[in-house]
Amino acid sequence: MELISIVIPVYNSERYLGQCLDSVCGQTYSNLEIVLVDDGSTDESYRICAAYADMDSRIKLVRKENGGEASARKAGFSASQGDVILFVDSDDWIDSNAIEKMYAEMEKYHADIVVTGYIESFGSKEKTVWNKLQADVYRRNQLERDIFPSMLCCEEYFVLGLWPYLWNKMFRRKVIEPYLLMLNEKLVVGVDAVCTFPVFLDADTVSIMQYAGYHYRIHQSSVMHQFRSKEEEVENIRIQYQEFKKFFGNQAYNEVLLPQVNRYIMHHLMVRAVLFLGQKMTEGDAALPMLEEMEEGSKVILYGAGAFGSSLYHALNHSGIFSIIGWCDRDYKDKQAMGYPVLSTKEALQKEFDYVLIAVLSKKAKDQIQRELLSYDIEDKRIKWLNIAALDRVNIEKLWGDYLE
């Protein structure tokens, strides 16, 4: 049996760590090296890691000063010895046969990368999430034809072809090592993406499985649900852009990759720094041109409470350009449980409003919501979305201004 290394960065995850480690130690594939990297935890995480290391000789425990996700992943990888690598986040868990299934796929097709779906877990509710690109085995010519042109952006306006996470993939060490060790440790959000996507360019065979054995836990303390200052968010996105340019800029495939990178960066700006983007696009004008035209002072219902909807809700409330009188989402009960003031669609539409602004980034999702709103006899002219023409005119290279080094 080949040695497989599982790298688990740990930072203040005492609440969930036991479930994570139980799931990893209980795998049906037994020839494992489990590398735990305590990244300067201030809670009981290190004590929990040490206790598990005492019980399971396969566990290697690394303790370091806090340096962030990229630093922890690099430290764990450097301490590992397996020629096959997986990553698991310390607040998540995996099915008992997950590694066995993924490794069998890797061996069967001599794959450099195995990609899976994942199970999104929020409390007792679970949802399986698949990659948008078709499950199949892709050899080199198929990667160039079917994967590279769509992996960062497969639909307009923005839909990822492949989820960018390190943790829903199994890698041959040889393909991931150069990119992982070059990770910029200043990155906080987007660490996985700037490593994962370039790795595909060096793969000869990739298997995308119609299988999901990884459980991704959604909770408020997750890095993806934390927002920092505008300056910190913009700087983080700028670093992402530089990293993508570093890895993709001289590639033979840059004509298909760089337009996707631009869309990906625009997506991150809209999700995490929408006020910055709005200010740059308007250059001091009253209305946000990233949105279809609405009169200043209009009463607006915001439909959508995902990452973009949440960002836009706070940005528009901050700007005062419109009066946000209601916020709704199909999954309003889940959002309410997370503390968001989100209503059901029916309840929100009982308010007096001028427009419904659809706050999603996928055109397919927008079209579905629009059809729902039309079924409530809302006039089409009162339903607004993104101003795609304006967004497509944004010059990413010139966007950063004073944020450039």
Side-chain angles (χ1 to χ4, degrees), residues 318-362:
H318 181 270
S319 71
I321 295 172
F322 309 117
S323 175
I324 307 301
I325 62 166
W327 190 15
C328 61
D329 191 275
R330 288 173 181 168
D331 296 326
Y332 68 96
K333 290 183 179 178
D334 290 344
K335 304 302 180 182
Q336 288 175 353
M338 296 176 72
Y340 296 166
V342 178
L343 307 172
S344 68
T345 306
K346 185 176 181 180
E347 187 177 1
L349 294 180
Q350 290 175 353
K351 297 177 178 290
E352 183 181 340
F353 63 91
D354 298 309
Y355 299 102
V356 178
L357 174 59
I358 301 176
V360 298
L361 294 178
S362 161

Side-chain angles (χ1 to χ4, degrees), residues 22 50 55 100-101 123 126 140 166 184 207 244 251 257 261 263 284 290 296 314 320 329 374:
D22 285 342
M55 293 186 292
E100 182 179 7
K101 281 181 172 291
E126 291 191 334
R140 185 66 195 185
L166 284 166
N184 190 323
S207 173
F244 275 125
Q251 290 283 347
L257 293 170
V261 169
R263 284 282 173 98
M290 75 174 66
E296 185 173 352
H314 294 294
D329 191 275
L374 291 172

Side-chain angles (χ1 to χ4, degrees), residues 88-117:
V88 176
D89 284 356
S90 60
D91 48 0
D92 300 334
W93 74 98
I94 56 178
D95 287 348
S96 62
N97 61 351
I99 293 176
E100 182 179 7
K101 281 181 172 291
M102 294 174 74
Y103 183 67
E105 185 83 357
M106 176 173 276
E107 282 288 277
K108 181 178 180 179
Y109 297 108
H110 304 287
D112 295 310
I113 307 171
V114 174
V115 183
T116 71

Side-chain angles (χ1 to χ4, degrees), residues 56-84:
D56 194 324
S57 62
R58 298 173 299 173
I59 294 178
K60 181 183 294 184
L61 180 53
V62 177
R63 195 176 195 184
K64 60 185 287 294
E65 292 184 1
N66 181 253
E69 183 180 333
S71 172
R73 291 200 192 284
K74 290 166 71 171
F77 180 85
S78 296
S80 70
Q81 296 181 323
D83 287 331
V84 177

Side-chain angles (χ1 to χ4, degrees), residues 12 40 57 73 88 152 208 223 251 264 277 288 330 357 390:
N12 288 356
S57 62
R73 291 200 192 284
V88 176
L152 281 90
I208 301 176
V223 170
Q251 290 283 347
Y264 181 89
L277 179 61
L288 289 170
R330 288 173 181 168
L357 174 59

Side-chain angles (χ1 to χ4, degrees), residues 204-357:
D204 290 321
T205 302
V206 173
S207 173
I208 301 176
M209 296 180 69
Q210 194 70 9
Y211 166 72
Y214 189 101
H215 297 257
Y216 167 69
R217 190 192 308 271
I218 297 177
H219 56 91
Q220 284 295 83
S221 57
S222 166
V223 170
M224 286 302 296
H225 295 93
Q226 295 175 8
F227 286 84
R228 300 167 296 155
S229 70
K230 181 182 76 172
E231 290 75 19
E232 289 174 316
E233 294 289 356
V234 173
E235 175 63 8
N236 188 84
I237 298 169
R238 184 191 66 80
I239 293 173
Q240 284 188 71
Y241 182 65
Q242 286 190 330
E243 293 296 290
F244 275 125
K245 291 277 286 186
K246 178 175 73 178
F247 290 136
F248 289 163
N250 296 319
Q251 290 283 347
Y253 314 106
N254 62 0
E255 288 187 7
V256 297
L257 293 170
L258 294 182
Q260 294 179 72
V261 169
N262 287 348
R263 284 282 173 98
Y264 181 89
I265 293 298
M266 286 294 289
H267 161 259
H268 268 257
L269 285 166
M270 286 191 281
V271 166
R272 302 195 69 90
V274 69
L275 275 175
F276 167 82
L277 179 61
Q279 290 164 0
K280 285 292 182 178
M281 290 177 68
T282 58
E283 297 182 344
D285 292 342
L288 289 170
M290 75 174 66
L291 306 174
E292 292 178 334
E293 185 177 358
M294 295 179 286
E295 297 80 13
E296 185 173 352
S298 296
K299 296 178 180 178
V300 174
I301 292 173
L302 196 65
Y303 192 128
F308 175 53
S310 299
S311 177
L312 194 57
Y313 175 79
H314 294 294
L316 293 180
N317 275 326
H318 181 270
S319 71
I321 295 172
F322 309 117
S323 175
I324 307 301
I325 62 166
W327 190 15
C328 61
D329 191 275
R330 288 173 181 168
D331 296 326
Y332 68 96
K333 290 183 179 178
D334 290 344
K335 304 302 180 182
Q336 288 175 353
M338 296 176 72
Y340 296 166
V342 178
L343 307 172
S344 68
T345 306
K346 185 176 181 180
E347 187 177 1
L349 294 180
Q350 290 175 353
K351 297 177 178 290
E352 183 181 340
F353 63 91
D354 298 309
Y355 299 102
V356 178
L357 174 59

Side-chain angles (χ1 to χ4, degrees), residues 24-55:
V24 172
C25 294
Q27 287 296 299
T28 55
Y29 188 98
S30 60
N31 192 22
L32 300 176
E33 175 191 54
I34 303 165
V35 184
L36 305 181
V37 183
D38 182 78
D39 191 35
S41 295
T42 58
D43 64 359
E44 292 296 304
S45 292
Y46 178 76
R47 184 191 62 78
I48 295 171
C49 289
Y52 273 83
D54 287 341
M55 293 186 292

